[in-house]
Amino acid sequence: MHQKTLKRFFAAALTGALLLTPAAAFSDTSGHWAEGSITKWSQEYAILRGNEDGTFRPDDPITRGAFAGILDRFFRFGESSDPMVFSDLSGNYWESAVLKLHAAGVYLGSGGKALPDDPITRAQAVTMLTRAFRIGTESMTLGFLDGDTIPDYARPSVAAMSALGYVGGDPAGNFNPNDSITRAEFVSILGRMVEVLVQESGSYSADAAGTVMVSAPEGADLSSMHIAGDLIISPGVTGRVTLTDVTLEGQVRNFGGAEVLLMTPQVPEQPEEPEDEGEEPKENGPIRPEEVYTPTQPTGQTIRFQNWDVPVYDQRAPIAVGEGDFVWEEDRLIYTGDAFDTRFGIDVSAYQNRATEGDIDWEAVREDGVEFAMVRVGFRGTGSGTLNADAFYAKNIDGAMAAGLETGVYFFAQAITVEEAIEEAEYVIKLLEGHEINGPVAYDWEMKDSTYRVYGTPPEMATACAIAFCQRIAQAGYTPMIYAGGYVSYMKYDQGAIADYLSWYPEYKSESSEKLYPTFIYQMDYWQYSSKCTVEGIGGRVDGNLHFF
């Protein structure tokens, strides 16, 4: 089996404000690999506490009870189980925390015992963390050399947590599931899973480079901020969490009964300036779709997509790959047909960098068989509409190019007018200044649900936005491409009008898929076939793509 480079448990930083015991009081953490995480969790969040002798003992095992205590301070669980649920817990220092975690379905014990004073193993710790953070544990490949030694109950959790980049193995590639997890390792995992912890009610507006978790019981007001990960509302929050002009790359994960209110700031109307006498009114109205493109006539045939009859266009070539043309080898899809040559590639964003502790090893990526890379260069907020650069786009472009990979970029678009689509193209062109690329520039316009600002955009305007973006990109000397899934492709785009541009289509498959081929009716140039590939030099999962040529 192809073995992947494995990472050790990650050290990560957190930001916040609440002082308990200064980290300087810890006499044994200076120079330790987890010093940054220990300092911030103790000094700024008061989640960690040291020993009476002024030490933290970062490399000591952590007990099951202490593990529960830290998680309870982190999540602020509310309800508790009956004290009699465990036979060995009465009077233990960690009794309250363990009973709260048991009520939350996190701490299940063993044979009716809590064993609070026993060291917690890596397998046990990771399993409890997936329960606490409610992480999906669908079947995934375990890439550890000692994967067969991981207990059955922990295998899904270890696979999920390693795929997300939260945990990893030792330098030899082993997970060591039955070894005790150390205090430093546990702290570092928490730091990797959450970037900012909001513990007190109030207003917050600082950007967050990862996931934000609100544990303030009365809720909080978040405004004018960019959150690069998820927003988690802990179970103990009963108040309101208000989001005003917040750009959220991930999703809201409400673990309790908190009310989450999405707000858009009101922009005051500007008074019209009086026209000068004798001057003709200026023509400065919005650009209409018909000024951008001429709608194409469908063939008269239709196909059924979900509950709609969708027109068919003959300007697009019909799909030329199908059943029997693909096989799985390890965790990658291989094309075995004879209509095309193919190349394997990936697309990356800041998510992969954060799962790799900053810098992707692009040389290792190339050595692992990757032939091209699509780098997210930026995005427009789904709610706020603000334009943002990907935090690592420059490093990723330059690194992929230096490694000899064909390198393109994509922009997560949310344009609702032609002017905004041109603005997005200009923004991409500006970001690419000083960075050479030799691959396409993709327009990635997506609509997940009604929280996306593009919700309700008419098909004519959606098509006009895509074409306007591509036209401006082509004028700048780049090769434009359009990324779109099934709904946007069928329901929002005039496929005949966009036929001249390269196409990139996502439809995820797995080794167990009944149809191991794309079911789109048109032939795509690029197919994003998986979001769960593993590649040397990159932590966590990455999208896998095939280029047909």
Side-chain angles (χ1 to χ4, degrees):
M1 178 178 177
H2 194 78
Q3 296 297 333
K4 305 296 179 185
T5 299
L6 301 168
K7 307 295 182 184
R8 67 176 177 148
F9 291 92
F10 291 87
L14 294 159
T15 57
L18 185 62
L19 182 63
L20 179 70
T21 303
F26 298 150
S27 60
D28 57 349
T29 57
S30 178
H32 191 275
W33 64 267
E35 180 182 5
S37 293
I38 295 168
T39 298
K40 292 195 173 183
W41 274 111
S42 60
Q43 185 174 7
E44 299 174 16
Y45 286 114
I47 295 296
L48 301 180
R49 298 168 184 171
N51 301 296
E52 293 182 357
D53 61 359
T55 63
F56 182 73
R57 300 173 192 169
D59 297 319
D60 280 4
I62 187 170
T63 66
R64 293 162 59 91
F67 184 95
I70 292 175
L71 275 187
D72 182 40
R73 288 195 291 272
F74 192 88
F75 279 90
R76 293 182 174 175
F77 293 107
E79 297 182 2
S80 294
S81 291
D82 189 307
M84 301 305 294
V85 69
F86 294 120
S87 62
D88 60 342
L89 195 58
S90 179
N92 187 276
Y93 181 83
W94 302 109
E95 180 178 10
S96 175
V98 170
L99 291 176
K100 288 181 182 179
L101 265 67
H102 180 269
V106 176
Y107 196 120
L108 304 184
S110 176
K113 294 184 177 182
L115 307 173
D117 298 321
D118 286 2
I120 189 169
T121 67
R122 294 173 183 268
Q124 293 166 348
V126 169
T127 301
M128 287 195 198
L129 283 169
T130 57
R131 293 170 185 160
F133 282 90
R134 304 185 188 182
I135 294 173
T137 55
E138 65 273 18
S139 178
M140 300 177 192
T141 301
L142 279 167
F144 300 104
L145 293 176
D146 60 348
D148 292 342
T149 68
I150 298 175
D152 289 343
Y153 75 85
R155 293 175 67 84
S157 295
V158 174
M161 292 281 280
S162 66
L164 292 168
Y166 297 147
V167 299
D170 62 19
N174 297 308
F175 182 71
N176 303 311
N178 299 314
D179 286 358
S180 299
I181 194 170
T182 68
R183 294 161 62 86
E185 287 169 343
F186 177 39
V187 171
S188 298
I189 296 172
L190 287 177
R192 185 58 191 165
M193 299 180 80
V194 172
E195 178 72 16
V196 173
L197 182 61
V198 177
Q199 298 172 297
E200 301 295 331
S201 298
S203 299
Y204 298 83
S205 59
D207 290 345
T211 289
V212 171
M213 182 172 184
V214 176
S215 66
E218 296 180 0
D221 296 322
L222 312 181
S223 63
S224 302
M225 62 188 297
H226 169 221
I227 300 174
D230 292 340
L231 173 63
I232 298 176
I233 315 298
S234 78
V237 179
T238 57
R240 173 184 294 175
V241 178
T242 303
L243 283 68
T244 304
D245 194 26
V246 173
T247 300
L248 181 64
E249 288 193 46
Q251 57 185 325
V252 177
R253 299 165 60 200
N254 191 352
F255 291 175
E259 177 186 4
V260 180
L261 184 62
L262 304 177
M263 302 285 289
T264 301
Q266 298 296 317
V267 179
E269 295 185 3
Q270 299 296 321
E272 296 183 2
E273 295 185 5
E275 298 178 5
D276 293 336
E277 293 184 7
E279 290 187 2
E280 293 293 329
K282 294 182 180 180
E283 295 288 340
N284 60 353
I287 301 174
R288 299 185 300 274
E290 58 266 28
E291 298 178 67
V292 179
Y293 78 104
T294 300
T296 54
Q297 292 300 315
T299 63
Q301 297 177 316
T302 61
I303 65 163
R304 193 70 175 170
F305 174 72
Q306 296 181 1
N307 295 320
W308 298 281
D309 290 320
V310 179
V312 176
Y313 298 85
D314 59 9
Q315 291 85 356
R316 287 286 306 272
I319 190 74
V321 297
E323 189 171 3
D325 284 341
F326 300 92
V327 297
W328 278 96
E329 289 186 6
E330 301 175 3
D331 65 347
R332 296 181 188 175
L333 195 62
I334 308 298
Y335 174 67
T336 59
D338 55 12
F340 299 96
D341 287 327
T342 60
R343 298 185 303 161
F344 171 66
I346 60 174
D347 57 273
V348 301
S349 68
Y351 169 83
Q352 279 74 34
N353 295 89
R354 295 187 181 104
T356 317
E357 300 184 89
D359 293 338
I360 291 173
D361 185 347
W362 287 103
E363 294 291 338
V365 170
R366 183 198 63 207
E367 291 298 320
D368 199 17
V370 174
E371 298 169 277
F372 69 89
M374 293 295 295
V375 174
R376 187 179 72 167
V377 66
F379 60 95
R380 186 189 287 275
T382 57
S384 67
T386 56
L387 297 176
N388 306 270
D390 186 282
F392 294 89
Y393 86 91
K395 282 187 174 183
N396 287 336
I397 291 174
D398 296 345
M401 286 290 293
L405 301 181
E406 180 178 292
T407 306
V409 299
Y410 70 96
F411 182 83
F412 180 86
Q414 288 284 283
I416 56 177
T417 65
V418 172
E419 288 83 357
E420 285 192 348
I422 296 172
E423 179 188 32
E424 290 174 346
E426 295 286 359
Y427 187 67
V428 170
I429 294 167
K430 181 69 174 177
L431 291 177
L432 290 177
E433 289 181 1
H435 302 283
E436 181 182 356
I437 65 170
N438 54 6
V441 176
Y443 177 79
D444 174 14
W445 191 89
E446 299 185 26
M447 185 185 68
K448 181 180 179 182
D449 52 37
S450 60
T451 64
Y452 280 45
R453 68 195 304 268
V454 299
Y455 185 81
T457 302
E460 297 78 13
M461 180 58 74
T463 301
C465 287
I467 293 174
F469 178 95
C470 290
Q471 288 175 341
R472 181 65 190 95
I473 290 298
Q475 289 172 359
Y478 300 104
T479 301
M481 179 164 69
I482 296 175
Y483 174 101
Y487 181 83
V488 173
S489 293
Y490 285 131
M491 304 301 298
K492 293 296 184 179
Y493 284 160
D494 180 332
Q495 289 294 326
I498 65 173
D500 290 339
Y501 301 110
L502 292 175
S503 62
W504 185 10
Y505 184 76
E507 184 179 340
Y508 297 152
K509 304 294 180 179
S510 68
E511 191 171 5
S512 60
S513 294
E514 181 179 348
K515 296 180 179 180
L516 202 60
Y517 55 89
T519 59
F520 194 46
I521 68 168
Y522 304 109
Q523 180 60 43
M524 67 289 300
D525 297 289
Y526 291 76
W527 177 26
Q528 186 184 76
Y529 68 83
S530 176
S531 62
K532 297 179 181 178
C533 289
T534 54
V535 172
E536 294 276 7
I538 299 179
R541 295 176 289 182
V542 65
D543 295 337
N545 298 267
L546 286 176
H547 175 204
F548 300 100
F549 62 97

